[in-house]
Amino acid sequence: MKFSIIRNNATSLGYKIADEITEKCLSHGHIISTDPYQANFILNITNVMDPQFFKRRSKSVFLITIVSGENINGNMQSACYTTLIKTFANMLICAREESNNHLKAYFTTPEAGFYNIEYDAEEAYNLMIPVAGAHYSTENVFIPDLPERFYSGSPVVDEIIKFGKKMDELGVLPAPFPLRQLLSEEDMLHLYRVFGITGASYGNLSSKEEITEFEPPVFWMTGRGVNKSCLSTIGKDLLLVKDFDFQTGTAIISQPVSYDPKARVSVDAVEHALIYKTFPDTGAIIHLHAWMDGVLCTHQNHPCGTTELAQEVVELLKKTDNPESAVVGLKNHGLTITGRSFEEIFIRISCKLKTEVPMFA
């Protein structure tokens, strides 16, 4: 892959770490591009006191911000996530010399992943490259052909609304970092374009619906960035995915004739679509930023909305006793839960959920 390096007034430690990671990239066959707009990923070397960003033209370009943490005196996780958001990065690597003179590297992702390792340039490369090499499948195409009888919803939609509220009652719909305290409205719009994050709540729900006008599988899914605890509007809070083009990474959305052109289905639609396609008896899927003991877990922390994450989740589900009614973990992120219905899912999991997601390298 091609990569570019943006140097934005970093500290000497920040430059040292970035140079070492750059050497690892080159030794593994990646090529430096002098034009960042032609690169697959970008190393943005900056500082936590005045973090600078590179505004990508496309979400397909992954940005890794590298900083040093000697000026961080408060909460490390909060400082790292703030810097991640302010630099619009897919991953932040923050190197800091600890009191025992050991150099640690702290990794942060938009999905709220936060973990650290004893710094090693090769290990940092190995943790970074699955993110840098992932492929987003989050495009939407809108077709105003939703049958009019669904303009006000359906029993399936009612179930999603009901169980969205139940997720909130269980305390598993955490809000992302208070983004609007950190970013201007213009920057918030850019963040939405890059990550689909608006600051409402994490998590999503979907459920299949048999609609005679469309070929199955067809499913309703919560919108991107909407508050799952108070869903209401068809075509904005809840969208009908009537097909998914896996080759182009595009959800085909059936909308009312008058619809909100800014609406987008959850970035996890590619994962849900692949699950419904692979396991036809699955009726509903829930994604939570929560945890359960003893679950199979993905090996990599692929970003939400990527083909790689969807494929790894499906492969994990194949290893379970009953893929249509199973729970798998997403590393440093949360859970994907399948079932015949939401009722069945909640009977299985509600007493087992932990709101704290374990983090590990």
Side-chain angles (χ1 to χ4, degrees), residues 247-267:
Q247 185 171 353
T248 63
T250 303
I252 314 302
I253 311 297
S254 178
Q255 288 280 56
V257 173
S258 298
Y259 64 91
D260 183 351
K262 294 181 179 179
R264 296 291 185 276
V265 74
S266 167
V267 296

Side-chain angles (χ1 to χ4, degrees), residues 160-161 163-169 172-176 196 198-205 222-233 236-238:
I160 296 177
I161 294 171
F163 284 95
K165 293 176 180 177
K166 282 188 175 291
M167 286 172 65
D168 187 48
E169 292 168 4
V172 292
L173 287 177
T198 59
S201 66
Y202 287 127
N204 52 65
L205 307 89
T222 48
R224 195 175 305 180
V226 302
N227 188 340
K228 267 63 72 175
S229 66
C230 55
L231 302 166
S232 61
T233 307
K236 180 181 178 182
D237 297 332
L238 296 133

Side-chain angles (χ1 to χ4, degrees), residues 76-118:
M76 190 69 178
Q77 183 173 5
S78 175
C80 286
Y81 200 81
T82 298
T83 307
L84 173 91
I85 294 302
K86 284 187 173 182
T87 58
F88 304 108
N90 298 95
M91 173 178 278
L92 175 83
I93 303 175
C94 177
R96 187 167 77 166
E97 191 171 309
E98 304 294 328
S99 57
N100 56 8
N101 294 322
H102 287 180
L103 191 60
K104 278 194 172 182
Y106 292 83
F107 293 78
T108 311
T109 67
E111 294 81 21
F114 180 73
Y115 54 93
N116 67 80
I117 61 169
E118 294 292 327

Side-chain angles (χ1 to χ4, degrees), residues 43-84:
L43 303 180
N44 175 40
I45 313 161
T46 186
N47 66 86
V48 296
M49 302 304 292
D50 184 26
Q52 302 297 304
F53 64 88
F54 174 79
K55 189 169 282 191
R56 293 162 281 175
R57 293 175 179 169
S58 168
K59 68 181 69 176
S60 64
V61 178
F62 283 75
L63 192 145
I64 295 93
T65 292
I66 300 175
V67 298
S68 62
E70 61 260 48
N71 295 317
I72 298 176
N73 298 316
N75 183 286
M76 190 69 178
Q77 183 173 5
S78 175
C80 286
Y81 200 81
T82 298
T83 307
L84 173 91

Side-chain angles (χ1 to χ4, degrees), residues 183-217:
L183 303 175
S184 68
E185 189 61 33
E186 180 183 354
D187 287 344
M188 281 293 300
L189 290 173
H190 182 68
L191 185 72
Y192 183 83
R193 287 194 295 270
V194 174
F195 296 133
I197 295 175
T198 59
S201 66
Y202 287 127
N204 52 65
L205 307 89
S206 75
S207 186
K208 290 199 302 190
E209 173 106 49
E210 291 188 10
I211 298 178
T212 55
E213 289 89 342
F214 305 136
E215 292 291 325

